[in-house]
C-alpha cells in the first residue's frame, strides 16, 4: 500500500478523525495527528505491526472493537471504528490510555474499508496514466475453480511485471478491499477473485474495482441456499461481466451454457474457452490425456498461435478449464501467446487445500478440503482413480453447506460418486452428509459416519483407523464443516519434516 495520512484516510472513507484527547466531533485535533502515516491495513489484530491501520469489524463471532488494544500494542498507528465507546472500554480494560490511539470514526467499517480501497485504486490508476502506464485489474468468478484460476493467472502475469493477487480466497467485501489496498505505484497487474452468496455481492465488488478483464468459469451449485436456483447463481455471477469497464474483455466458458450466454452482457470484446475442444472457442484444449501423476497433458490452442503440447503443473483433468481461463485473462491483459505458454507451463499450486497431493507416512494424501459443492466434489472424485492408481482408496468428506433444498440430493450423489471412484471406505462428517453414507453403503462401500471433524481425527489416531499403509485418501468438504482440519492433521508430520 502507498503510505496514507490519517487525514487522507478520513477523507477517503467519509470518516471523522479523532485525535488523542479529542472528542467524537474531532475536538482537539493536533496537526501532527493528521499527517501521521499508515503503511498497511489489517482487519486481524494479530497481523498488525508498526504503521498499520486496524479496521474494527463487527463479525458473527467477535467484535473487532474489542481487539483495538492488541493492535495498538503491536504498533498500529490508528484504528478505523464505528463504536468509540467500545474502543475506549477495551483500551481501559487492557490497561491502556483509552484516548491514546487516533481513531477514524465511520458509521460502517466494512463500507468504509470498501470506500478506502475504491479511492486508493482510482488514484493508482490516475497516477499510472499520468506516467503513460496502465494498471490492469483482472478478476474471475464461478462456482468452482476461482482460487486455482487466480493462482495460475497471478503466476502468468507476475512473470511479466509486478502483480498483486489475493492471499488464499480473499474474495468478499472484506478480503477484496484488503487485496486492492496491497497494490502500490509499482503494481502493473491487480488480480482479484470475486465470490458471492447472494445477488448484488459481485456488483458491489466491481464498484470498488472496475475491471479490465473478467472470467466466468462455471455456473454450478455453490451457495444454493442464498440464490434459490442455478439460474439465480448465474444472474449473480453475471455481475462480473456488467462490472467491466467499457474497454474491458469478458472471458467466458463456452462449455457452460450459462457462462457463454453472458456474451450478451459484455460491453466490448469477448474471448471464449473450451476444455472440451469446441472449435468455436478462441482458446481450447485438444488431445487431453492424464499422465501417471494425473496431470493433464494437452494441445493448447491460443488465438494467433500454433497449437503447443503442454503439461499442466497441477493434477486433475478439471484444471484444464482453470488453465484456459487463466490464459484467456492473460491474453485479455495484453500478453502475447508465447508469454502465456511459457508461464503457464511452469505454473503450479499456490493456495492450500486445493488438490495438494503428497505422501505422508506412507499414505497418499489428496487434500482438496478448502471447500466443496457438488460440482467441485464431482471433479475431485473423478480425479481420484487416476491419482490413486493401484492404491486402496479411502474418501473422507465433511458436510457440504449452504446447499438449501439441494442438500439431500447432492449428498446422495456424492455417495454414488465415491462408489463409482472405487472407494473402499467412505467416512462422512456431519449429520447433513448422512445421505452420502447411505448411498455409498447401498453400493457396497464400507461407511463410517461421524458427528464432527474432531471425531474423525480421533478415529484416524486410534486403533481402528480406516487407513492402511499405502492407501490413497481424498479429503473434501465445506470449510465450515471441518474437512480441512482432518487434512491438516494428516499432513502435520509432513509439514514438520
Amino acid at each position: 500500500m502507498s503510505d496514507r495520512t490519517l487525514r487522507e484516510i478520513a477523507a477517503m472513507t467519509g470518516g471523522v478523525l479523532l485525535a488523542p484527547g479529542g472528542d467524537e466531533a474531532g475536538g482537539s485535533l493536533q496537526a501532527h495527528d493528521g499527517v501521521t502515516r499508515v503503511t498497511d491495513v489489517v482487519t486481524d489484530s494479530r497481523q498488525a505491526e508498526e504503521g498499520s491501520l486496524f479496521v474494527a469489524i463487527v463479525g458473527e463471532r467477535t467484535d473487532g472493537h474489542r481487539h483495538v488494544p492488541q493492535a495498538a500494542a503491536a504498533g498500529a498507528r490508528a484504528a478505523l471504528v464505528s463504536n468509540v465507546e467500545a474502543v475506549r472500554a477495551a483500551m481501559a480494560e487492557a490497561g491502556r490510555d483509552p484516548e491514546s490511539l487516533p481513531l477514524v470514526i465511520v458509521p460502517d467499517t466494512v463500507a468504509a474499508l470498501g470506500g478506502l480501497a475504491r479511492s486508493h485504486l482510482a488514484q493508482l490508476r490516475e497516477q499510472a496514466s499520468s506516467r503513460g502506464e496502465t494498471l490492469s485489474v483482472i478478476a474471475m468468478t464461478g462456482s468452482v475453480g476461482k482460487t486455482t484460476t487466480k493462482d495460475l493467472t497471478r503466476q502468468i502475469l507476475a512473470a511479466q511485471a509486478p502483480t498483486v493477487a489475493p492471499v488464499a480466497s480473499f474474495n468478499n467485501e472484506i478480503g477484496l478491499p484488503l487485496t486492492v489496498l496491497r497494490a502500490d505505484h509499482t503494481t502493473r497487474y491487480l488480480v482479484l477473485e470475486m465470490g458471492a452468496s447472494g445477488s448484488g455481492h459481485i456488483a458491489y465488488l466491481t464498484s470498488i474495482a472496475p475491471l479490465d478483464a473478467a472470467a466466468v468459469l462455471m455456473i454450478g451449485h455453490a451457495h444454493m441456499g442464498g440464490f434459490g436456483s442455478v439460474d439465480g447463481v448465474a444472474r449473480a455471477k453475471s455481475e462480473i461481466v456488467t462490472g467491466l469497464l467499457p474497454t474491458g474483455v469478458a472471458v467466458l466458458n463456452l462449455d457452460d451454457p450459462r457462462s457463454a450466454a453472458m456474451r450478451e452482457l459484455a460491453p466490448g470484446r469477448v474471448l471464449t474457452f473450451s476444455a472440451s475442444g469446441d472449435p468455436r472457442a478462441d482458446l481450447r484444449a485438444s488431445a487431453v490425456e492424464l499422465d501417471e501423476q494425473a496431470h493433464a497433458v494437452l494441445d493448447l490452442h491460443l488465438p494467433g498461435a500454433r497449437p503447443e503440447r503442454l503439461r499442466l503443473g497441477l493434477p486433475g483433468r478439471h484444471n484444464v478449464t482453470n488453465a484456459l481461463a487463466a490464459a484467456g485473462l492473460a491474453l485479455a491483459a495484453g500478453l502475447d501467446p508465447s508469454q502465456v505458454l511459457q508461464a503457464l507451463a511452469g505454473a503450479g499450486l499456490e493456495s492450500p487445500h486445493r488438490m495438494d497431493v503428497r505422501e505422508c507416512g506412507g499414505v497418499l494424501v489428496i487434500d482438496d478440503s478448502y471447500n466443496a459443492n457438488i460440482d467441485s466434489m464431482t471433479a475431485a472424485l473423478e480425479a481420484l482413480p487416476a491419482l490413486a492408481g493401484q492404491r486402496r482408496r479411502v474418501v473422507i468428506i465433511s458436510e457440504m453447506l449452504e446447499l438449501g433444498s439441494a442438500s439431500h440430493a447432492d449428498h446422495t450423489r456424492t455417495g454414488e460418486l465415491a462408489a463409482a471412484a472405487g472407494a473402499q471406505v467412505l467416512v462422512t462428517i456431519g449429520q447433513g452428509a448422512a445421505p452420502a453414507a447411505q448411498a455409498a453403503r447401498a453400493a457396497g462401500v464400507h461407511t463410517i459416519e461421524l458427528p464432527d471433524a474432531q471425531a474423525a481425527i480421533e478415529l484416524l489416531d486410534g486403533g481402528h483407523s480406516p487407513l492402511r499403509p499405502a492407501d490413497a485418501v481424498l479429503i473434501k468438504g465445506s470449510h465450515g464443516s471441518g474437512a480441512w482440519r482432518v487434512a491438516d492433521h494428516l499432513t502435520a508430520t509432513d509439514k514438520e519434516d
Side-chain angles (χ1 to χ4, degrees):
M1 175 181 170
S2 305
D3 290 2
R4 298 284 184 186
T5 69
L6 296 187
R7 288 187 187 277
E8 287 180 299
I9 289 169
M12 294 163 81
T13 59
V16 174
L17 178 58
L18 179 64
D23 57 34
E24 290 193 30
S28 59
L29 180 63
Q30 299 174 7
H32 74 275
D33 293 312
V35 298
T36 294
R37 291 182 174 273
V38 298
T39 55
D40 75 323
V41 179
V42 298
T43 58
D44 186 335
S45 61
R46 294 167 296 185
Q47 297 174 353
E49 56 188 21
E50 187 64 36
S52 294
L53 171 71
F54 174 66
V55 181
I57 292 175
V58 180
E60 294 181 0
R61 288 177 289 185
T62 187
D63 182 349
H65 294 85
R66 299 184 59 185
H67 300 287
V68 171
Q70 293 94 313
R77 290 183 180 160
L80 182 67
V81 305
S82 60
N83 188 335
V84 175
E85 293 309 314
V87 172
R88 287 175 169 168
M91 292 283 277
E93 184 178 347
R96 302 181 69 90
D97 181 350
E99 301 181 6
S100 60
L101 186 71
L103 304 176
V104 178
I105 309 164
V106 296
D108 183 328
T109 54
V110 173
L113 177 63
L116 179 60
R118 184 181 296 112
S119 296
H120 176 69
L121 178 56
Q123 288 185 15
L124 288 181
R125 276 177 152 156
E126 290 173 3
Q127 292 166 5
S129 179
S130 69
R131 299 190 302 267
E133 301 172 353
T134 57
L135 168 55
S136 297
V137 184
I138 297 126
M140 67 289 302
T141 195
S143 299
V144 293
K146 293 186 295 295
T147 300
T148 299
T149 301
K150 176 264 297 183
D151 287 343
L152 294 174
T153 304
R154 188 210 69 78
Q155 291 171 78
I156 296 170
L157 296 175
Q160 307 304 320
T163 301
V164 169
V167 175
S169 292
F170 273 30
N171 62 18
N172 62 11
E173 73 278 10
I174 297 172
L176 182 136
L178 289 174
T179 301
V180 170
L181 289 166
R182 288 174 46 217
D184 61 23
H185 70 280
T186 68
T187 304
R188 174 67 177 83
Y189 301 110
L190 175 59
V191 180
L192 301 171
E193 180 182 330
M194 294 189 173
S197 54
S199 177
H201 292 185
I202 290 178
Y204 173 70
L205 300 180
T206 62
S207 77
I208 295 171
L211 300 172
D212 296 291
V216 181
L217 305 174
M218 189 192 80
I219 306 303
H221 298 75
H223 305 293
M224 283 289 287
F227 296 108
S229 68
V230 177
D231 287 336
V233 176
R235 285 191 294 272
K237 301 296 187 182
S238 72
E239 292 168 6
I240 200 171
V241 178
T242 55
L244 282 162
L245 292 166
T247 56
V249 181
V251 180
L252 303 177
N253 185 357
L254 198 60
D255 294 335
D256 186 293
R258 292 182 176 87
S259 173
M262 295 179 194
R263 175 190 290 271
E264 298 178 359
L265 302 174
R269 187 160 68 104
V270 173
L271 288 173
T272 57
F273 62 92
S274 170
S276 69
D278 191 323
R280 299 172 298 167
D282 298 296
L283 301 90
R284 67 184 188 275
S286 64
V288 180
E289 301 174 341
L290 294 183
D291 67 12
E292 65 280 358
Q293 294 178 304
H295 288 233
V297 182
L298 57 114
D299 289 339
L300 179 61
H301 302 251
L302 300 181
R306 297 179 61 181
E308 294 279 351
R309 195 71 175 162
L310 175 73
R311 178 185 186 270
L312 297 183
L314 60 173
R317 183 181 292 268
H318 61 285
N319 279 314
V320 174
T321 295
N322 301 328
L324 288 169
L329 286 168
L331 292 174
L335 273 65
D336 63 51
S338 63
Q339 293 171 318
V340 174
L341 277 164
Q342 183 176 3
L344 187 57
L349 291 167
E350 289 189 325
S351 297
H353 301 304
R354 289 169 177 83
M355 275 297 170
D356 182 4
V357 183
R358 64 174 81 181
E359 289 275 354
C360 299
V363 173
L364 183 72
V365 176
I366 306 163
D367 175 9
D368 198 36
S369 63
Y370 179 78
N371 222 335
N373 55 52
I374 189 57
D375 302 301
S376 65
M377 188 70 79
T378 299
L381 286 166
E382 287 180 345
L384 176 58
L387 290 166
Q390 299 303 310
R391 293 169 181 260
R392 178 175 175 270
R393 301 163 196 174
V394 176
V395 175
I396 301 174
I397 63 164
S398 67
E399 180 179 354
M400 296 181 287
L401 305 175
E402 301 181 57
L403 297 180
S405 61
S407 180
H408 188 280
D410 286 356
H411 282 97
T412 298
R413 180 60 180 153
T414 296
E416 295 168 349
L417 289 167
Q424 276 80 21
V425 180
L426 173 66
V427 179
T428 63
I429 297 169
Q431 184 176 359
Q438 183 177 1
R441 209 162 36 242
V445 179
H446 177 61
T447 61
I448 303 171
E449 298 181 62
L450 299 171
D452 52 38
Q454 183 58 40
I457 291 170
E458 292 171 1
L459 173 69
L460 294 172
D461 284 347
H464 300 286
S465 172
L467 289 181
R468 301 175 185 171
D471 278 356
V473 55
L474 169 66
I475 307 145
K476 182 80 175 163
S478 285
H479 191 266
S481 58
W484 62 272
R485 292 182 55 207
V486 180
D488 277 353
H489 182 75
L490 284 174
T491 58
T493 301
D494 185 63
K495 291 176 181 177
E496 291 168 1
D497 289 344

